[in-house]
Amino acid sequence: MAEAGAESLAEMLDERQHLLEIALWMFGSNLAADHVVQETYRRWYSLDDAARAGIAVPRAWLTRTAGSICLAMLTDPDHVPTTPGRPPDPVTHRAVGQAAPGPELLARHDRVARRFAGACAAGDTAELRGVLAPDAIVVSDGGGKVRAAVRPIHGADAVARFVAALLIGQPGTEVTLGSVNGRTGLVLRRAGRAVAVVSVSVAGSEVTAVWIVLNPDKLRRWH
């Protein structure tokens, strides 16, 4: 992980837990979530040194890759594992799996998430665009019960438009901060009932990915 432009090892290791949490949101299965993370890191380590060195923000790359794997599994249930696969590489699994987010990473995530939430609450699309990384993505999960984007949306402009249409300016919607999988996220409520839970992935001072859960079945505990 010593490539030029790569983030610190601690940040790379910390991202694994976040990827696990995202996959658990999508599938509710530890087995499926572990498969997503193993496949994400398998693709990372299958890159040659030159390819990895050319990735300016590994965290963003990992997040996008995990998102595409999740979406492929959601659209093709046959790809969702139901029996344990081969165990991950013991060195990689042990080193990555035991990492815990440090206070500095959590504090930075909190600052960026609050800026994102503030833009949503204020309906400030310019500020929203400003907090997004140029290659940001948004993935939404409606569970087939609520209209959501079928595929990830790429690019800060497109993400800002989608988030603004979905989260900003909806009558009677209250945007609040909440702890989402142990990190600062957003909870949107109407008439006291949760209608969306939003988590963001952060690199530096920018949001690299927005994960929106709209599936009513997954929102019950947030009411």
Side-chain angles (χ1 to χ4, degrees):
M1 301 298 178
E3 303 93 348
E7 294 181 288
S8 71
L9 177 61
E11 289 178 303
M12 285 290 291
L13 300 186
D14 171 52
E15 187 64 16
R16 183 183 190 276
Q17 182 60 36
H18 188 50
L19 296 179
L20 276 172
E21 292 162 354
I22 290 167
L24 281 170
W25 266 9
M26 304 293 279
F27 299 105
S29 162
N30 287 318
L31 185 60
D34 193 57
H35 171 79
V36 169
V37 175
Q38 288 186 43
E39 176 61 17
T40 300
Y41 277 93
R42 185 195 68 77
R43 295 184 187 184
W44 170 262
Y45 287 110
S46 69
L47 298 173
D48 58 32
D49 291 343
R52 283 203 300 271
I55 298 173
V57 185
R59 171 174 291 188
W61 187 95
L62 291 171
T63 300
R64 287 195 299 272
T65 301
S68 67
I69 295 168
C70 284
L71 266 292
M73 290 168 64
L74 285 171
T75 55
D76 187 356
D78 290 338
H79 286 169
V80 179
T82 56
T83 58
R86 69 171 183 82
D89 176 81
V91 175
T92 301
H93 184 69
R94 185 166 56 248
V96 173
Q98 292 179 359
E104 291 184 5
L105 291 177
L106 291 176
R108 185 182 65 181
H109 184 279
D110 179 76
R111 288 193 299 271
V112 178
R114 285 177 181 274
R115 183 182 169 196
F116 177 85
C120 291
D124 189 338
T125 53
E127 174 66 11
L128 180 62
R129 171 62 182 80
V131 76
L132 293 169
D135 59 350
I137 67 168
V138 60
V139 178
S140 55
D141 170 25
K145 299 183 178 182
V146 176
R147 187 175 181 180
V150 176
R151 299 181 182 279
I153 295 171
H154 299 264
D157 289 332
V159 170
R161 288 194 299 270
F162 179 84
V163 171
L166 187 67
L167 305 181
I168 292 177
Q170 298 295 328
T173 300
E174 178 189 14
V175 180
T176 61
L177 291 169
S179 178
V180 181
N181 290 326
R183 304 190 188 202
T184 304
L186 286 70
V187 183
L188 281 72
R189 292 185 174 88
R190 294 183 193 136
R193 295 182 63 82
V195 294
V197 172
V198 182
S199 176
V200 295
S201 295
V202 170
S205 61
E206 298 175 322
V207 170
T208 58
V210 182
W211 307 87
I212 305 175
V213 175
L214 301 164
N215 185 344
D217 294 336
K218 296 181 181 180
L219 295 174
R220 290 174 182 168
R221 71 185 183 89
W222 293 93
H223 297 330

